[in-house]
Amino acid sequence: MLRIDHALRSDRVLKALTGLSILEFIDLTDRFATVLAHRGRTDPGKARQRQPGGGRKPMLTTAEDKLFFILFYVKCYPTFDVAGVLFEVHRSQPHRWVHTLLPLLEQTLGEAVVLPARKIDDVAAFFERFPQVKNLFIDGQERPTQQPKQPEAQKAHYSGKKKRHTRKNIVVSDEHRSIVFLSPTVAGHQHDYTLFKESDFPDHLPQEVCCWVDLAFQGMATAYPHLNVIIPDKKSRGGELTDDQKARNFLKASMRVVVEHAIGGLKRLNCMAHIYRNRSEQLADQFMVVACGLWNYHLKLAA
């Protein structure tokens, strides 16, 4: 069985297994233990079938063990058969652990105030949540998924850009690479700009904030005249960009690259970089939210 005491002897090993350093893991364990202690063990309206403490003894006995497992799962993303062998349980047990512990990890990251916003209702709410943000860097993020069996679902998930079946989110980061907003997870066929508009996020952005986007968001400056949109110059059909336009595009790309670094931070977790194998739509979105939270948590402790 994988033993956490061995992993905690080396930053390198712990990062390979969980994506966190020893100090980050210890700090997150304290927060996770608090959330775990306040979690109801049974449904209040459901009668118990055995006394507290009865039944088979758990394999994950401490908050540290439980946090290690769920971080190991999202970082290495093994199949449930492999996880069952590594933790010496039947493959159904890791499945139950993931669906039990992942929401608790999300709650822990939420209480640490590192989760991205999912909805902004007005400009005042934006300034209340992000008072220091002056620049926003916006991009679409796609991750591969297994090919659906139904033809309609295949068409909905097929991304012409990636030439494969994907799931998509819009990621918005600040100049420090922190992810401040995450759109809902949708099938990969949907266009980046369409998904961004449907999130209602641009309707509540203040005009003082600069929005850095790529050419996938063509027309955003016209649709949202109150926003300060910075977008590369587009080459006309049959024409060429001037040297000044090429120089401006280079400067814009060098500024906007921070959102690519933020997306790269998410893909440190194999549940984001590898093909999504799970069937649950909710779990696909939870993976994305937790990945953003862990990346922001890493940046927060490193600051």
Side-chain angles (χ1 to χ4, degrees), residues 6 10 16 27 49 96 139 181 192 195 201-202 217-218 232 242-243 261 269 271 273 285 291-292 300:
H6 291 172
S10 167
D27 182 79
Q49 296 183 353
R96 287 191 289 269
D139 200 6
F181 176 80
D192 290 359
L195 177 56
F201 184 66
F217 295 81
Q218 196 74 29
T242 66
D243 290 341
H261 294 162
L269 303 180
C271 70
D285 192 65
C292 292
K300 182 179 180 180

Side-chain angles (χ1 to χ4, degrees), residues 60-213:
L60 305 179
T61 57
T62 66
E64 192 176 55
D65 293 335
K66 294 174 182 178
L67 179 61
F68 177 78
F69 169 81
I70 194 60
L71 290 175
F72 167 78
Y73 182 78
V74 297
K75 175 64 175 70
C76 300
Y77 199 40
T79 64
F80 291 131
D81 292 277
V82 172
V85 171
L86 293 175
F87 286 87
E88 299 179 358
V89 293
H90 188 266
R91 63 178 180 271
S92 62
Q93 186 62 66
H95 177 270
R96 287 191 289 269
W97 285 341
V98 167
H99 285 273
T100 300
L101 298 177
L102 193 64
L104 296 179
L105 177 58
E106 181 180 350
Q107 182 181 344
T108 302
L109 295 170
E111 295 188 3
V113 199
V114 292
L115 291 181
R118 305 305 304 274
K119 184 176 177 61
I120 298 293
D121 294 323
D122 51 42
V123 175
F126 178 89
F127 278 122
E128 181 180 357
R129 181 76 186 270
F130 311 110
Q132 305 299 325
V133 172
K134 301 299 181 184
N135 292 280
L136 292 176
F137 303 88
I138 305 164
D139 200 6
Q141 191 274 339
E142 293 186 69
R143 49 186 164 146
T145 186
Q146 288 182 333
Q147 178 176 321
K149 294 183 179 180
Q150 300 299 325
E152 297 81 5
Q154 289 181 16
K155 183 177 180 181
H157 284 81
Y158 187 77
S159 169
K161 177 181 178 181
K162 297 296 184 180
K163 301 296 187 288
R164 67 190 308 176
H165 296 86
T166 65
R167 295 176 187 271
K168 177 178 290 186
N169 298 84
I170 294 299
V171 174
V172 181
S173 75
D174 62 14
E175 53 265 35
H176 303 295
R177 300 177 295 160
S178 295
I179 297 173
V180 300
F181 176 80
L182 177 69
S183 75
T185 302
V186 300
H189 183 73
Q190 191 164 3
H191 193 273
D192 290 359
Y193 184 37
T194 303
L195 177 56
F196 184 61
K197 290 188 292 184
E198 290 180 352
S199 70
D200 293 333
F201 184 66
D203 296 320
H204 307 300
L205 290 177
Q207 60 183 1
E208 296 87 352
V209 176
C210 294
C211 298
W212 299 74
V213 297

Side-chain angles (χ1 to χ4, degrees), residues 222-279:
T222 304
Y224 301 97
H226 68 286
L227 296 182
N228 184 10
V229 179
I230 301 176
I231 189 171
D233 294 315
K234 183 180 181 180
K235 182 177 69 173
S236 60
R237 181 176 296 180
E240 294 292 337
L241 294 177
T242 66
D243 290 341
D244 287 342
Q245 288 176 320
K246 291 179 180 178
R248 286 198 300 268
N249 283 356
F250 178 81
L251 290 175
K252 292 174 184 177
S254 64
M255 290 291 293
R256 205 186 65 84
V257 75
V258 295
V259 69
E260 303 293 349
H261 294 162
I263 293 174
L266 304 183
K267 293 183 177 179
R268 300 186 310 163
L269 303 180
N270 286 347
C271 70
M272 300 305 305
H274 291 183
I275 294 176
Y276 178 72
R277 299 186 307 270
N278 304 79
R279 299 179 183 274

